[in-house]
Amino acid sequence: MTGSESEGRLGEEFFVPGTSSFAQFLAAHRPELLPMSPQLPPGVRAAPGRFPHGTTVLALAYRDGVMIAGDRRATMGNLIAQRDLEKVHPADDHTAVAFAGTVGLALDMIKLYQVELTHFEKIEGIPMTLNAKATRLAGMIRQNLGQAMQGLAVVPLLVGYDPSAPEGGRGRIFSFDVTGGPYEKSDFHAEGSGSPFAKGALKKLFHPRMSRREAASAALQALYDAADDDSATGGPDVNRRIFPLVSVITEEGFERLPETETEQLSREMVEQRRSRPDGPNATA
């Protein structure tokens, strides 16, 4: 800290006109505080199975907006590191982000991203557009490329409600690769080691005019299928009462489905799977 900061006063850098990006401000004045700053020496790779990793997250558009969900399991190699991890987080009132990958870096990146959006709105007086939010998150992922190449990758999934989009397409979904490349997805998408199985289930169950309950049921079915074939994905744990996190973003903003609603849908699904282990058929 500078002398003025140690005395409780802000440093001069806080009073110099500059960028509306909080991440760029940190990079210029406190780069060591960035979660994307290098943590491993050059040429060193993270040992497999030594850091908790989160896995399957998914999103799907539905009649009133967009839904985003994730399982709760984090793994370290063949070990279950955590059973109740939260992988879905609001970024602002009309945007949410979920993650697969290295848990510690992902949580720090999400916190920085939340501050980034709030900082921009306070400086500029208007919220970012959804396209700009995707671009900002892509930049953060790109800054983490060095660590991703060392085995500490973070792969987020971004969703938002865009009131400027045509009706029926206001729930938007963005995926990213480890280099920060953003890709807008239509209808649904999933990330993480269980994503191929989750996307297969969503392809079977999705239709564009789904109600909130139908969308939540489809999300839970997709996560169940992912857990059925991917050991790193956790299914509903009825005994411990640990169920996937499901959230929606509509014109009214971000809302996490109550645990009672998610539990009821999960228990109904588990009971249905007793007679139909492979899940429901595709909708007509």
Side-chain angles (χ1 to χ4, degrees):
M1 291 191 293
T2 63
S4 60
E5 286 178 309
S6 63
E7 297 171 2
R9 299 195 300 272
L10 294 176
E12 294 181 0
E13 63 269 23
F14 289 91
F15 301 96
V16 177
T19 176
S20 58
S21 169
F22 185 74
Q24 291 180 13
F25 176 82
L26 279 184
H29 301 288
R30 295 292 187 275
E32 70 278 4
L33 298 180
L34 288 170
M36 295 80 73
S37 60
Q39 294 183 352
L40 298 178
V44 176
R45 286 186 57 84
R50 295 294 300 273
F51 300 93
H53 272 69
T55 48
T56 310
V57 293
L58 59 84
L60 65 155
Y62 75 108
R63 185 173 59 202
D64 299 323
V66 63
M67 178 170 289
I68 186 167
D71 81 305
R72 308 293 297 277
R73 178 174 292 179
T75 57
M76 288 194 302
N78 65 318
L79 301 178
I80 297 176
Q82 188 173 347
R83 300 179 188 274
D84 59 352
L85 178 66
E86 295 192 10
K87 303 176 187 177
V88 179
H89 300 266
D92 63 15
D93 290 342
H94 289 88
T95 316
V97 61
F99 70 87
T102 309
V103 173
L105 292 178
L107 292 176
D108 281 349
M109 186 182 293
I110 289 172
K111 291 176 184 177
L112 179 60
Y113 185 60
Q114 292 168 333
V115 174
E116 177 83 354
L117 299 187
T118 302
H119 184 262
F120 177 91
E121 187 168 350
K122 288 183 176 179
I123 295 297
E124 300 294 337
I126 56 172
M128 275 191 207
T129 65
L130 189 53
N131 286 338
K133 292 174 185 178
T135 301
R136 287 291 177 96
L137 184 54
M140 290 184 180
I141 300 167
R142 193 172 299 115
Q143 290 176 338
N144 191 57
L145 181 59
Q147 291 189 83
M149 294 298 99
Q150 294 174 314
L152 299 174
V154 175
V155 183
L157 183 61
L158 178 71
V159 301
Y161 183 86
D162 187 354
S164 66
E167 187 174 355
R170 292 175 180 172
R172 300 173 63 190
I173 303 167
F174 294 87
S175 71
F176 305 84
D177 59 35
V178 293
T179 67
Y183 309 94
E184 184 165 3
K185 303 294 183 177
S186 59
D187 299 338
F188 58 84
H189 189 66
E191 293 286 0
S193 59
S195 61
F197 314 108
K199 283 189 282 191
L202 290 174
K203 180 182 286 189
K204 178 176 68 172
L205 299 173
F206 177 83
H207 64 85
R209 299 303 296 171
M210 301 177 89
S211 67
R212 171 169 138 159
R213 181 181 175 84
E214 289 174 322
S217 294
L220 292 172
Q221 293 280 3
L223 290 172
Y224 190 104
D225 280 351
D228 199 34
D229 287 293
D230 174 44
S231 61
T233 303
D237 191 333
V238 175
N239 292 332
R240 294 185 177 89
R241 296 189 64 198
I242 299 174
F243 303 97
L245 291 180
V246 183
S247 299
V248 296
I249 305 177
T250 64
E251 186 176 9
E252 285 72 36
F254 176 91
E255 179 189 357
R256 176 164 289 172
L257 268 63
E259 184 178 352
T260 52
E261 182 177 352
T262 308
E263 179 176 356
Q264 179 184 356
L265 290 172
S266 296
R267 290 182 181 275
E268 290 176 4
M269 176 185 64
V270 170
E271 186 60 33
Q272 293 166 1
R273 291 276 181 151
R274 294 182 189 276
S275 58
R276 297 187 63 92
D278 294 332
N281 292 328
T283 54

